Amino acid sequence: MNSLVNIAVFGIVGAVIMAALIGLLLVLGGRGQGRGPQTVFGAISLVVLIAVPALAAVNLRSTAPGTGFGPVFLVAFGVALVICAVNIAFLPLVARRAAAGRGEELAAGTRLSPALLGGGLLVCAVLGLVGAGVGILAG
């Protein structure tokens, strides 16, 4: 049960942080400030996507000493999955806002695709591996 609590707590915290970052990007991106907000958003997102799963893995190792790589990876993967799900859920909103900012109309076929979801799952697995590696080394 401890693993599920870690996934829920750290996943929700990471999701809230990502939603706030997306909101800031939407607000700052509409002011015509160039590529600066997107670059900052990308850097902060990368830090959040690496740090939050790693913190969940470290927390699991500290509360359950001797936990192997498998459970630690699953916790880090679950947290990364929750955070990435928020990013993917907000993707249509960001795409509509970006198209409106350029004065274009969003294409009717712009929606989530299996390739996007598969790529997101692969990214989450890599982030889970990184988080689990940090958790094993630090815990």
Side-chain angles (χ1 to χ4, degrees), residues 71-112:
V72 172
F73 168 72
L74 289 176
V75 166
F77 175 71
V79 170
L81 197 61
V82 170
I83 296 171
C84 286
V86 169
N87 278 341
I88 290 173
F90 279 113
L91 183 65
L93 177 67
V94 173
R96 275 194 300 273
R97 176 68 183 232
R102 292 188 305 262
E104 301 171 354
E105 189 173 320
L106 188 63
T110 304
R111 61 178 72 113
L112 300 178

Side-chain angles (χ1 to χ4, degrees), residues 3 7 53-54 56-58 60-61 67-81 121-136:
S3 297
I7 292 171
V58 168
L60 179 65
R61 291 277 295 177
T67 304
F69 184 80
V72 172
F73 168 72
L74 289 176
V75 166
F77 175 71
V79 170
L81 197 61
L121 194 61
L122 182 64
V123 168
C124 290
V126 170
L127 292 169
L129 284 172
V130 171
V134 170
I136 293 292

Side-chain angles (χ1 to χ4, degrees), residues 4-92:
L4 293 177
V5 171
N6 277 338
I7 292 171
V9 169
F10 284 96
I12 290 170
V13 167
V16 168
I17 292 170
M18 289 306 292
L21 286 173
I22 290 170
L24 284 172
L25 176 66
L26 290 175
V27 169
L28 294 176
R31 295 187 180 168
Q33 297 174 345
R35 305 292 289 170
Q38 287 116 355
T39 304
V40 171
F41 171 76
I44 294 173
S45 294
L46 186 61
V47 169
V48 168
L49 285 168
I50 291 173
V52 175
L55 287 172
V58 168
N59 185 43
L60 179 65
R61 291 277 295 177
S62 67
T63 58
T67 304
F69 184 80
V72 172
F73 168 72
L74 289 176
V75 166
F77 175 71
V79 170
L81 197 61
V82 170
I83 296 171
C84 286
V86 169
N87 278 341
I88 290 173
F90 279 113
L91 183 65

